Amino acid sequence: MLEPRQLEILDRAKITKTYREGESIYHQGDPCLGVYCVESGNVSVRMTNAQGGSKIVRFVHPGQTLGYSDFFAERGYRGDAVCLEPTTICFIPKEPLKAALHHNPQLGLAFLNHATIDLQEADSLSMNQALYPVRTQVAHLLLSLKDNYGTVGDDGAIELSLPMTWQDVSELIGARPETVSRAVHVLIDEGVIDAAGRKVTIRDLDMLLDEIETAVS
Amino acid sequence: MLEPRQLEILDRAKITKTYREGESIYHQGDPCLGVYCVESGNVSVRMTNAQGGSKIVRFVHPGQTLGYSDFFAERGYRGDAVCLEPTTICFIPKEPLKAALHHNPQLGLAFLNHATIDLQEADSLSMNQALYPVRTQVAHLLLSLKDNYGTVGDDGAIELSLPMTWQDVSELIGARPETVSRAVHVLIDEGVIDAAGRKVTIRDLDMLLDEIETAVS
DNA sequence: CGGTTCCTTGATAACGATCAAAGGCCGTGG
DNA sequence: CCACGGCCTTTGATCGTTATCAAGGAACCG
């Protein structure tokens, strides 16, 4: 998509850095100095309102981009970006990026693709929040994490190693940690999953799918 | 932003049409044949899940674009677009748009701006859903509609003429119509607003702002 | 170890959903 | 012009989910 010369300019301009678990990449309100691209690891974006209430609006996985919407909106960062685990991220400063966009506007289409994906996920999240009880939302999240974080065990069960805490999950789906904890334990009691800390085993994928299909609408 | 020649091509390709209230522009799942731009009027985008539950994900006001994220994602439309009132919309078919994007990738940046705005609004909506009770969300919505649909009356009160039904409002904030109705009447009883049908008068803007500031977090 | 953060569990309260029914408004058709 | 039907809104009663408050336990890290 990019001309080699432009790729080279971006490559020279980019700064790669490794963050520790819990480390902040940027803070809400900070002036936007450029965009980030997650190479490995995992990042949460949390927004806080004027009353101090906060919510995780998205998890950012490897290959995804971070802070670009604030760059294009020419405003400060709209949330806090925090690493959930040791994470490698490259930073592309504003000016070189502007130059690259100027010389090769095709690059804008690449960001547009990221934006449409993020928009679709934001819409889905909002829909799930509105239409499903917490238990079903947890089931949804586990299913979506399965693809990136699941491995198939000996007996065919799918083993997940969550990249985030259950507390983070509760902030994503807009519920209290206690509520999520109880919902998880209901799923365990029903024999759908097993969970020990952040290790989750999907015992019965069909039951997990049922959990979603038979949800109240 | 666009070269005159490209603008001209798009101008020739676009098809302007007027829709009646309640008329559909496209349906969820329909193949995406192009993008729409609202010139006047008002459109809701509603998504429905596999269980038949639905939610309005956004209202689209004049000057905003519709269906572009599905165009760039190269997939069917993700929701139903329905006019809330008599609405004039221009349609830009896929192929001419692709050609215009190819010849002038700057055009992509224009869509990127739309995308970042929609993304920010989607994040805010999801945050409000998660952090505020229905009454506060209604207050929020009235405030945001004030700028586009409000006029200042004789006594300084702000008069709103809602472009959507309260039922639509309930689908936007993810609540039942009954709950929204009750929430509105609480605001009326508190003297914050007056409402008769879709005509809303903001009696006391400060109280409305308080409603938001003192919300539970 | 000692502290912090995360998770769990219980009891209770608040909020919103649900069910049911009726009133108002509007457009259509007789 | 009026009557009818449909849709939106309102109101009440009750139920269910989730929030809240509180406290204890487990895991982890310095």
Side-chain angles (χ1 to χ4, degrees), chain A residues 105 109, chain B residues 1-12 14 72 92 96-114:
Chain A
L109 293 180
Chain B
M1 161 116 40
L2 293 180
E3 294 166 13
R5 205 174 57 83
Q6 289 306 320
L7 260 183
E8 192 193 316
I9 289 177
L10 281 185
D11 255 358
R12 270 210 310 273
K14 84 178 184 190
F72 286 104
I92 301 168
L97 181 54
K98 275 186 183 167
L101 279 164
H102 182 73
H103 287 101
N104 188 347
Q106 289 281 349
L107 179 55
L109 293 181
F111 282 106
L112 195 45
N113 284 330
H114 285 293

Side-chain angles (χ1 to χ4, degrees), chain B residues 30-49:
Chain B
D30 283 357
C32 175
L33 303 175
V35 306
Y36 298 83
C37 182
V38 178
E39 295 188 347
S40 72
N42 223 289
V43 176
S44 68
V45 179
R46 175 185 282 102
M47 286 176 61
T48 305
N49 67 16

Side-chain angles (χ1 to χ4, degrees), chain B residues 62-83:
Chain B
Q64 294 186 310
T65 326
L66 199 57
Y68 67 92
S69 72
D70 308 312
F71 169 78
F72 286 104
E74 300 187 79
R75 49 166 298 164
Y77 291 114
R78 283 183 304 123
D80 297 308
V82 177
C83 296

Side-chain angles (χ1 to χ4, degrees), chain B residues 3-155:
Chain B
E3 294 166 13
R5 205 174 57 83
Q6 289 306 320
L7 260 183
E8 192 193 316
I9 289 177
L10 281 185
D11 255 358
R12 270 210 310 273
K14 84 178 184 190
I15 299 161
T16 302
K17 186 178 166 188
T18 297
Y19 295 80
R20 293 185 304 276
E21 180 180 329
E23 203 171 349
S24 281
I25 300 159
Y26 56 74
H27 293 281
Q28 186 167 340
D30 283 357
C32 175
L33 303 175
V35 306
Y36 298 83
C37 182
V38 178
E39 295 188 347
S40 72
N42 223 289
V43 176
S44 68
V45 179
R46 175 185 282 102
M47 286 176 61
T48 305
N49 67 16
Q51 290 74 49
S54 74
K55 178 180 187 297
I56 290 177
V57 290
R58 78 189 90 254
F59 294 129
V60 184
H61 305 291
Q64 294 186 310
T65 326
L66 199 57
Y68 67 92
S69 72
D70 308 312
F71 169 78
F72 286 104
E74 300 187 79
R75 49 166 298 164
Y77 291 114
R78 283 183 304 123
D80 297 308
V82 177
C83 296
L84 299 172
E85 51 189 7
T87 299
T88 302
I89 297 181
C90 76
F91 171 69
I92 301 168
K94 205 159 121 163
E95 291 308 333
L97 181 54
K98 275 186 183 167
L101 279 164
H102 182 73
H103 287 101
N104 188 347
Q106 289 281 349
L107 179 55
L109 293 181
F111 282 106
L112 195 45
N113 284 330
H114 285 293
T116 57
I117 290 169
D118 284 350
L119 186 54
Q120 291 175 20
E121 293 195 344
D123 286 341
S124 293
L125 183 61
S126 158
M127 229 180 96
N128 289 342
Q129 262 180 237
L131 298 176
Y132 294 122
V134 169
R135 184 164 34 88
T136 309
Q137 290 186 67
V138 170
H140 248 290
L141 183 66
L142 291 178
L143 271 183
S144 71
L145 290 173
K146 164 178 73 69
D147 302 323
N148 283 314
Y149 300 94
T151 57
V152 179
D154 311 328
D155 53 350

Side-chain angles (χ1 to χ4, degrees), chain A residues 118-152:
Chain A
D118 283 351
L119 186 54
Q120 290 174 21
E121 294 195 344
D123 286 342
S124 295
L125 183 61
S126 160
M127 235 183 93
N128 290 341
Q129 261 179 239
L131 298 176
Y132 294 122
V134 170
R135 182 164 35 87
T136 309
Q137 289 186 68
V138 170
H140 247 290
L141 183 65
L142 291 178
L143 271 183
S144 71
L145 290 172
K146 164 177 75 69
D147 302 324
N148 283 313
Y149 300 94
T151 58
V152 179

